[in-house]
């Protein structure tokens, strides 16, 4: 894929004609995809720190046996809100921020298809975040039912539970509006000549993710609405005392919840698939197979939900079906990992910060994938269910998977976004501290889980003390390392070496044909792709 050089609109004068409101109203009323992308990214970063502070609270309590700081009820509020905020407040909005910034730039479109709706999608998020955070201060405190919001606990919680339900509804509406926008933009606004199979892989992964979101967010909305009516309107969907079935909630939740895992990882695959070819200076190996693998993962994600429920009393035939279906996902995932490695094979590799995060992603995400494969085996899962092994597994997938890709993508596109090169030394320091402290935190949790330490408990037996202390030290180190990231981003926004239009030698794609920073209005005349 290559843009015809003469056909790309000359944007050098666009700065002069970029008429837009200034000050606070620019951000409140903006319909520009770059402004909205920036707001998504800052919002997600702020929520990442809020979720991180809650994690600090959790790890401080678990530093040694006994109750040090929190009562068990408040500890469970911390774990619940940590999960909800990280999933819905930090990871998902960060990827939407990337989509807003990059999708129009990568497909040669002037903006998102529904620009006003794009603004609304973002501004729904801050009220939802306020509802979640303020729920700590209502009588009874925040919900303490786990991020999965399992019944029957949810039926018994105080008003903090209602605030969480409303927040999830609002964030769900925002996600669906954003998804409609992304699908419409990708399908209708690609530059002339850019067929679907010439589209950058990041756009492909987001197209598939957007369909997943539209399919499953209403399912979550249904589950929490049923919970709400159970709480206030005397229905008994999940309340066993009234004839309801708590296991029904688990089925509905995980029908949403498992595809949700892929909603949080597919865009990460897309980001890594952009970074690796650039720094290996080779085209992505097996582009078509990457597209088909991504689609297969999305489809398979709908038929594996009950592997989260092996312990609820499922028939053996059901266990076997979900066990094999889950293991099957390893095949397309393996295809992706193989293709990334094949892209690097005999490439002229350099190891700038985005590449370090991409390689770190492959290494650590693969470990999370292997532990997932182990957990897919029903007899093993029954043994390890609700232990720290599971905590380790999903943090390897979601922190080292989603978060490392988000960091890599930020470093990769930061010169395009700000017009300045970031501080490479600080970037590399951020990577090395992050990967060391990340493994220090979560690797030892595998051993805690194998030894039988249950999750969601504020106190534990003395035999788990050493590993918990190591995990807590790692968590504090990992959290503090992220201040370096903040420093790099702020420093890059405020100045630094001027970034050329294409700061990376091996980078290809339409976003690198426009100046850095990308002009306020891009591609008013569509580029032609051959």
């Amino acid at each position: 894929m290559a843009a015809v050089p003469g056909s790309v609109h000359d944007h050098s004068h666009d700065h002069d004609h970029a008429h837009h409101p200034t000050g606070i109203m620019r951000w409140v009323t903006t319909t520009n995809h770059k402004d909205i992308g920036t707001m998504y990214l800052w919002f997600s970063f702020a929520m990442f720190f809020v979720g991180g502070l809650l994690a600090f609270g959790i790890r401080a309590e678990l530093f040694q046996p006994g109750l040090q700081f929190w009562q068990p009820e408040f500890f469970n509020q911390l774990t619940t809100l940590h999960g909800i905020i990280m999933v819905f407040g930090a990871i998902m909005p960060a990827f939407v921020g990337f989509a807003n910034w990059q999708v129009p730039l990568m497909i040669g479109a002037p903006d998102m298809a529904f620009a006003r709706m794009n603004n609304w999608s973002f501004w729904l998020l801050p009220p939802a975040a306020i509802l979640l955070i303020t729920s700590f201060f209502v009588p009874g405190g925040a919900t303490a039912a786990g991020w999965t919001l399992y019944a029957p606990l949810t039926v018994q919680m105080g008003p903090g539970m209602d605030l969480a339900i409303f927040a999830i509804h609002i964030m769900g509406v925002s996600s669906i509006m954003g998804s409609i926008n992304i699908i419409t933009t990708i399908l209708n606004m690609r530059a002339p000549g850019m067929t679907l199979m010439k589209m950058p892989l990041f756009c492909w992964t987001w197209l598939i993710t957007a369909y997943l979101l539209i399919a499953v967010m209403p399912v979550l909305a249904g589950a929490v609405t049923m919970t709400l009516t159970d709480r206030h309107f005397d229905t008994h969907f999940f309340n066993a005392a009234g004839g309801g079935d708590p296991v029904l909630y688990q089925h509905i939740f995980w029908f949403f919840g498992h595809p949700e895992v892929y909603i949080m990882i597919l865009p990460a695959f897309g980001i890594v698939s952009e970074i690796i070819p650039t720094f290996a200076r080779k085209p992505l190996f097996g582009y078509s197979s990457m597209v088909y693998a991504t689609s297969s993962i999305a489809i398979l994600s709908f038929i594996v939900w009950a592997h989260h429920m092996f312990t609820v009393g499922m028939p053996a035939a059901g266990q076997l079906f979900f066990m094999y279906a889950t293991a099957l996902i390893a095949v397309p995932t393996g295809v992706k990992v193989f293709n990334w490695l094949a892209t690097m094979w005999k490439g002229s590799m350099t190891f700038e910060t985005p590449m370090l995060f991409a390689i770190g992603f492959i290494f650590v995400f693969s470990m999370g994938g292997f532990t997932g494969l182990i957990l897919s085996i029903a007899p093993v899962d029954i043994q390890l269910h609700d232990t720290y092994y599971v905590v380790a597994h999903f943090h390897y997938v979601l922190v080292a998977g989603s978060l490392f890709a988000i960091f890599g993508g930020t470093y990769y596109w930061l010169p395009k976004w700000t017009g300045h090169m970031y501080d490479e030394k600080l970037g590399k320091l951020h990577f090395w501290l992050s990967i060391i402290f990340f493994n220090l935190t979560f690797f030892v949790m595998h051993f805690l889980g194998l030894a039988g330490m249950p999750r969601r408990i504020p106190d534990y037996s003395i035999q788990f003390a050493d590993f918990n202390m190591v995990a807590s030290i790692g968590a504090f180190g990992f959290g503090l390392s992220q201040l370096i990231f903040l420093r790099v981003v702020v420093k890059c926004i405020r100045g630094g070496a001027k970034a050329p239009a294409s700061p990376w030698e091996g980078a290809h794609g339409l976003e690198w044909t426009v100046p850095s920073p990308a002009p306020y209005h891009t591609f008013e005349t569509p580029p032609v792709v051959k």
Side-chain angles (χ1 to χ4, degrees), residues 275-350:
I275 294 173
I276 289 177
T278 295
F279 295 98
R281 291 165 180 79
K282 275 176 67 189
L284 184 68
F285 181 86
Y287 170 89
S288 309
S289 62
M290 290 293 252
V291 173
Y292 297 131
T294 311
S295 313
S296 312
I297 291 171
I299 293 165
L300 287 172
S301 72
F302 283 108
I303 57 165
V304 298
W305 78 91
H307 71 211
H308 297 270
M309 301 165 56
F310 283 142
T311 55
V312 299
M314 199 185 300
Q319 291 190 357
L320 280 174
F321 170 79
F322 286 107
M323 185 172 95
Y324 289 129
T326 305
L328 201 58
I329 294 189
V331 176
T333 311
V335 168
K336 297 186 89 72
V337 173
F338 171 79
N339 284 1
W340 289 323
L341 296 179
T343 307
M344 287 190 272
W345 179 255
K346 292 191 175 177
S348 303
M349 299 221 293
T350 50

Side-chain angles (χ1 to χ4, degrees), residues 36-123:
I36 295 171
T38 303
M39 291 196 295
Y40 264 110
L41 289 169
W42 276 115
F43 171 82
S44 114
F45 197 51
M47 294 305 282
F48 173 60
F49 271 95
V50 173
L53 277 178
L54 301 182
F56 270 25
I58 295 166
R59 289 312 319 174
E61 180 58 54
L62 294 175
F63 191 79
Q64 60 185 45
L67 292 180
Q68 274 73 236
F69 303 104
W70 321 121
Q71 290 303 306
E73 178 67 16
F74 185 71
F75 180 86
N76 277 339
Q77 293 175 24
L78 290 179
T79 57
T80 300
L81 266 288
H82 167 71
I84 293 176
I85 286 175
M86 283 302 194
V87 169
F88 296 104
I91 301 288
M92 288 172 69
F95 284 134
V96 182
F98 275 96
N100 262 290
W101 250 103
Q102 290 306 127
V103 166
L105 280 180
M106 292 170 105
I107 64 170
D111 207 311
M112 298 296 277
F114 305 115
R116 178 61 62 191
M117 190 166 85
N118 204 15
N119 175 287
W120 296 341
S121 304
F122 171 76
W123 281 110

Side-chain angles (χ1 to χ4, degrees), residues 486-503:
L486 179 64
R487 166 77 181 140
V488 174
V489 173
V490 170
K491 193 176 167 190
C492 188
I493 291 170
R494 297 178 71 177
K498 189 90 184 115
S502 183

Side-chain angles (χ1 to χ4, degrees), residues 151 238 245-252 309 312:
F238 309 128
D245 184 3
V247 176
L248 172 66
Y249 176 85
Q250 294 193 29
H251 278 292
I252 301 174
M309 301 165 56
V312 299

Side-chain angles (χ1 to χ4, degrees), residues 224-439:
V224 293
T225 305
M226 288 156 87
T227 303
L228 194 69
T229 59
D230 269 7
R231 288 170 55 78
H232 298 293
F233 300 102
D234 214 21
T235 57
H236 298 285
F237 294 111
F238 309 128
N239 189 354
D245 184 3
V247 176
L248 172 66
Y249 176 85
Q250 294 193 29
H251 278 292
I252 301 174
F253 178 85
W254 285 115
F255 188 78
F256 148 81
H258 201 77
E260 168 69 14
V261 173
Y262 293 97
I263 286 166
M264 288 188 285
I265 200 68
L266 292 185
F269 290 167
I271 291 173
V272 170
S273 300
E274 298 296 327
I275 294 173
I276 289 177
T278 295
F279 295 98
R281 291 165 180 79
K282 275 176 67 189
L284 184 68
F285 181 86
Y287 170 89
S288 309
S289 62
M290 290 293 252
V291 173
Y292 297 131
T294 311
S295 313
S296 312
I297 291 171
I299 293 165
L300 287 172
S301 72
F302 283 108
I303 57 165
V304 298
W305 78 91
H307 71 211
H308 297 270
M309 301 165 56
F310 283 142
T311 55
V312 299
M314 199 185 300
Q319 291 190 357
L320 280 174
F321 170 79
F322 286 107
M323 185 172 95
Y324 289 129
T326 305
L328 201 58
I329 294 189
V331 176
T333 311
V335 168
K336 297 186 89 72
V337 173
F338 171 79
N339 284 1
W340 289 323
L341 296 179
T343 307
M344 287 190 272
W345 179 255
K346 292 191 175 177
S348 303
M349 299 221 293
T350 50
F351 298 94
E352 287 87 346
T353 310
M355 187 62 164
L356 288 178
F357 271 106
I359 294 174
F361 163 90
I362 295 174
F363 171 66
V364 192
F365 173 78
S366 298
M367 285 182 61
F370 279 127
T371 53
L373 203 55
I374 291 166
L375 285 171
S376 75
I377 302 165
V380 179
D381 181 85
I382 290 167
Q383 184 71 23
L384 294 173
H385 190 79
D386 265 347
T387 67
Y388 261 79
Y389 191 90
V390 179
V391 178
H393 157 67
F394 68 70
H395 278 91
Y396 262 83
V397 174
L398 291 181
V399 180
S402 307
L403 195 59
F404 277 21
I406 289 168
F407 287 145
T410 305
Y411 284 111
Y412 183 55
W413 283 304
L414 205 52
K416 181 58 62 189
W417 296 344
T418 63
H420 302 288
M421 296 305 290
Y422 62 85
D423 188 326
E424 189 68 47
K425 260 188 196 167
L426 282 180
K428 284 181 175 166
L429 181 68
H430 174 223
F431 167 75
W432 286 112
L433 289 179
S434 292
I435 197 147
I436 290 168
F437 282 121
F438 167 80
N439 281 294

Side-chain angles (χ1 to χ4, degrees), residues 14-196:
D14 276 351
H15 291 292
D16 303 326
H17 296 278
H19 299 300
H20 52 78
T22 52
I24 186 76
M25 289 313 288
R26 168 179 173 181
W27 301 101
V28 174
T29 62
T30 183
T31 54
N32 185 283
H33 71 97
K34 301 182 191 76
D35 284 353
I36 295 171
T38 303
M39 291 196 295
Y40 264 110
L41 289 169
W42 276 115
F43 171 82
S44 114
F45 197 51
M47 294 305 282
F48 173 60
F49 271 95
V50 173
L53 277 178
L54 301 182
F56 270 25
I58 295 166
R59 289 312 319 174
E61 180 58 54
L62 294 175
F63 191 79
Q64 60 185 45
L67 292 180
Q68 274 73 236
F69 303 104
W70 321 121
Q71 290 303 306
E73 178 67 16
F74 185 71
F75 180 86
N76 277 339
Q77 293 175 24
L78 290 179
T79 57
T80 300
L81 266 288
H82 167 71
I84 293 176
I85 286 175
M86 283 302 194
V87 169
F88 296 104
I91 301 288
M92 288 172 69
F95 284 134
V96 182
F98 275 96
N100 262 290
W101 250 103
Q102 290 306 127
V103 166
L105 280 180
M106 292 170 105
I107 64 170
D111 207 311
M112 298 296 277
F114 305 115
R116 178 61 62 191
M117 190 166 85
N118 204 15
N119 175 287
W120 296 341
S121 304
F122 171 76
W123 281 110
L124 283 173
L125 291 178
I130 291 168
L131 282 179
L132 280 177
I133 294 168
T134 52
S135 70
F136 276 114
F137 305 102
V138 298
T143 173
W147 85 275
T148 50
L149 301 178
Y150 272 173
L153 281 173
T154 46
V155 183
Q156 302 159 0
M157 294 279 155
M161 185 68 225
D162 299 318
L163 296 183
I165 289 173
F166 288 133
I168 286 171
H169 270 132
I170 294 170
M171 290 187 286
V173 171
S174 165
S175 291
I176 289 174
M177 285 162 67
S179 302
I180 292 170
N181 224 335
I182 288 166
I183 292 172
T184 314
T185 306
I186 291 177
L187 293 185
N188 293 306
M189 296 175 69
R190 294 191 311 281
M194 182 178 279
T195 61
L196 280 176

